[in-house]
Amino acid sequence: NKIFAERDLTNLAKQYENNEFGRFIKEGAVVDLSHTINDGFKTDVDAYNAIFTSRERAIAKTLAKKVLKVLKERRKGNVFYEQDEGIMLDVNAYASGSERVFMDVTAPTKRPLCAVEIMVDESGSMGGAREEAARLAAMCLEAFCRELKIPFGVYGHCELGGVMINEYLKMDDVKNNINASKLVSMQAHDACNHDGYGLRFGISKLVKRPETQKFLFVLSDGRPNGTGYGHTQMVHDMEYLNKICKKSHIAIIPIAIGDDFNNLQAIYGKELVDGRDLQKLPTEIARILLAKIKKLL
């Protein structure tokens, strides 16, 4: 662990920059682990509508409305009259004798407010109710972000020999409602989870984004148990990954949806969100993002 944390931190930085996600420390030596990317998921609107019903759709839309007006002003620009201070004189206010005689103008901006990504643990223990809750949570976030025209990506990961990355939605897919139905393909697999690898991959996508703020939701139900990779390695991984995220304005929002809450808290710290109430998780995750966005406005 000391070797991992001290001697190889610089090497890990270089590996990260070169997209060598699979190199990690095992018994003091560097070990390779490869990954494959699956992105050929088909759209299935009927199955999507059966899962993401009008109730969830209405909730996502209602939450989005709370910031939609402000976002429209950002995109179109606005003029504010009779201000206490501003960049120009409000002639009409001055002529009428008002004490508030300034105007202020906000320039229009086409730049998205932020980018959002969700990385879901798809190991075997995520089957059943957890799998269903994670899928519905991804759908709620997608609908919320599409309403606000916020770029949104969805990935799943697990490890069986190598790491499998499932790319369900790319950032540009937020423009197309039909592509959201690809999320019906999300499922748990008879495999382990190598969370650090999944995080590295997800972060590498966000690092390249032009937005000033990026959010990475991480859904997991327990400690990583990949090839030669467990709780201790994940703790050291997070020390490095948090530095990368801080430098690139990426906020990790970890959500625990299993019974291993305490061990996950040792990995992610006080930022860990308790998502063990699976009934509330899908809409709660959209509310979390709403609160984060409001702080940016």
Side-chain angles (χ1 to χ4, degrees):
N1 293 341
K2 186 176 182 180
I3 292 174
F4 185 93
E6 296 177 2
R7 189 191 70 185
D8 288 292
L9 191 58
T10 302
N11 291 336
L12 283 173
K14 294 179 181 178
Q15 293 162 15
Y16 182 85
E17 292 171 0
N18 295 328
N19 292 341
E20 298 178 22
F21 309 109
R23 295 174 65 80
F24 59 95
I25 305 301
K26 180 182 178 183
E27 297 176 357
V30 176
V31 178
D32 289 320
L33 187 66
S34 61
H35 74 271
T36 57
I37 300 176
N38 301 320
D39 59 3
F41 299 101
K42 296 181 179 180
T43 58
D44 190 339
V45 177
D46 291 337
Y48 172 81
N49 290 333
I51 297 172
F52 192 57
T53 64
S54 57
R55 174 183 174 274
E56 288 84 13
R57 195 174 291 111
I59 292 174
K61 194 168 186 177
T62 299
L63 291 174
K65 281 184 178 179
K66 295 185 178 182
V67 295
L68 195 56
K69 182 179 179 181
V70 179
L71 285 180
K72 285 182 177 178
E73 288 182 356
R74 282 171 57 98
R75 290 163 185 157
K76 294 180 179 179
N78 210 343
V79 179
F80 301 93
Y81 299 97
E82 291 191 68
Q83 301 294 302
D84 291 323
E85 55 184 25
I87 61 174
M88 61 184 71
L89 182 67
D90 184 345
V91 178
N92 290 332
Y94 180 80
S96 65
S98 173
E99 295 182 356
R100 306 172 69 183
V101 295
F102 291 100
M103 295 170 57
D104 200 5
V105 179
T106 58
T109 175
K110 299 297 182 182
R111 190 175 191 178
L113 179 68
C114 59
V116 181
E117 185 177 280
I118 182 169
M119 180 66 67
V120 180
D121 170 12
E122 292 185 321
S123 60
S125 59
M126 283 287 289
R130 295 175 187 177
E131 170 189 312
E132 294 172 2
R135 186 191 300 118
L136 192 55
M139 291 178 175
C140 283
L141 270 183
E142 188 281 331
F144 178 81
C145 289
R146 178 159 34 84
E147 193 74 24
L148 299 177
K149 294 182 172 61
I150 292 175
F152 179 65
V154 182
Y155 296 91
H157 72 91
C158 61
E159 187 213 315
L160 185 60
V163 174
M164 180 170 66
I165 302 291
N166 293 317
E167 188 175 53
Y168 296 105
L169 285 180
K170 300 177 182 179
M171 291 290 182
D172 292 338
D173 287 343
V174 74
K175 301 174 184 177
N176 189 338
N177 185 27
I178 301 300
N179 283 331
S181 65
K182 293 180 181 179
L183 295 176
V184 300
S185 298
M186 293 184 69
Q187 61 178 317
H189 302 273
D190 186 14
C192 303
N193 57 312
H194 192 301
D195 295 49
Y197 198 110
L199 274 173
R200 285 173 181 269
F201 184 88
I203 289 170
S204 74
K205 295 291 184 181
L206 289 175
V207 164
K208 301 172 184 177
R209 296 294 307 178
E211 291 79 16
T212 53
Q213 182 63 57
K214 284 88 78 170
F215 298 106
L216 173 57
F217 285 85
V218 181
L219 266 65
S220 180
D221 70 340
R223 291 176 291 178
N225 61 343
T227 304
Y229 191 93
H231 179 83
T232 301
Q233 287 77 15
M234 183 68 181
V235 170
H236 288 304
D237 242 356
M238 287 307 302
E239 181 181 349
Y240 168 69
L241 292 175
N242 282 330
K243 292 179 181 179
I244 295 292
C245 288
K246 184 176 181 180
K247 182 179 179 180
S248 302
H249 304 287
I250 300 172
I252 296 179
I253 306 172
I255 301 178
I257 61 175
D259 299 325
D260 208 4
F261 185 85
N262 291 334
N263 285 312
L264 282 171
Q265 196 167 45
I267 293 173
Y268 293 107
K270 62 181 181 180
E271 300 299 323
L272 184 67
V273 177
D274 190 343
R276 287 175 288 185
D277 189 338
L278 299 181
Q279 296 296 321
K280 295 181 179 179
L281 176 65
T283 52
E284 188 62 28
I285 200 171
R287 288 191 175 92
I288 292 171
L289 180 56
L290 172 63
K292 299 287 184 181
I293 289 176
K294 281 185 173 180
K295 291 182 179 180
L296 299 177
L297 299 174

